[in-house]
Amino acid sequence: MGSAPTPAAGRAPRARGPRPTLSMWDGRGRRPCLGTLLGLLAALAACGAVAFLGYCVYFDRRRRGDPGFQRRLRDKRRAQEIKAAGQGAQLWDPAKNEKLQELFLQEVRMGELWLSRGEHRIGVEHLINALLVCGQPKALLKVFKHTLPPKVFEMLLHKIPFICQQCEAVLNEQEYLEDDPD
């Protein structure tokens, strides 16, 4: 009679079909389900997040405990306070600077006078002088933008960089003269 071949002792019968690989099968010969893989990935992501947070906390404590860090932080805060106080001091207070206020008003009047006569170049020069004396030039430029003719305002904007260069040159020359021991 035709009998099927018997497997050798201790050997499992051979499965038909594609040969199983580790990526397709679990340890018990079953395919893992998608939920198990997602659970494993979620657990790995959670462990990674906890490790990252632990790393951050560790180095934050180490950084905060460093006396050099404390000193640098104090110095940085002091510098910011000084800078903020310096910016507040730069604002123009007309009550304290009556001569500057008079000069500012005189330059604005002269600029208006020359512009009304049709002498745009001279009028723009006076308005730029008013800008230089003014403590809040951005606000004054906004006023000029709304009150001056577009052509004149454009002339004013084109002259500003040249005036700034001249001012820087004068300031550098003054610093050089003050530093010079002669």
Side-chain angles (χ1 to χ4, degrees), residues 93-108:
D93 185 10
K96 292 181 182 177
N97 302 313
E98 291 180 16
K99 288 185 179 182
L100 285 177
Q101 183 181 14
E102 289 175 20
L103 178 62
F104 169 75
L105 292 174
Q106 179 185 354
E107 290 296 330
V108 170

